[in-house]
Amino acid sequence: MTFDAAATWPDLFEGLTEQQKQSVDQALAALTSDGYEPDKDEVAGIVNGAKQSSIRSFGPSAASSADGAGASSW
């Protein structure tokens, strides 16, 4: 039987993108492959990690120096 955290705690998954849900599913699949069932706090931590990873991916791509090295031009 497969552990279904989204069905168990749907409130944790509200507002996640499909990519975030897939990331959480992959992490949970690895965690539960030997039959372990995480509690709600553990699942919430994984969900928050997926959210934070998405937020970081929208940050600045490269730092700029005073001479413009590393800066992007559009």
Side-chain angles (χ1 to χ4, degrees):
M1 186 169 143
T2 304
F3 177 71
D4 188 351
T8 305
W9 301 295
D11 57 304
L12 295 179
F13 291 80
E14 290 177 5
L16 292 181
T17 66
E18 278 305 311
Q19 184 177 8
Q20 290 169 327
K21 288 177 186 176
Q22 288 175 359
S23 295
V24 171
D25 287 343
Q26 289 173 352
L28 290 172
L31 186 63
T32 61
S33 64
D34 63 354
Y36 176 76
E37 288 193 16
D39 64 22
K40 186 173 184 175
D41 288 337
E42 291 171 308
V43 174
I46 293 169
V47 168
N48 287 333
K51 289 178 182 177
Q52 293 302 314
S53 292
S54 294
I55 291 169
R56 281 192 297 271
S57 70
F58 290 107
S61 59
S64 297
S65 65
D67 65 356
S72 299
S73 62
W74 297 93

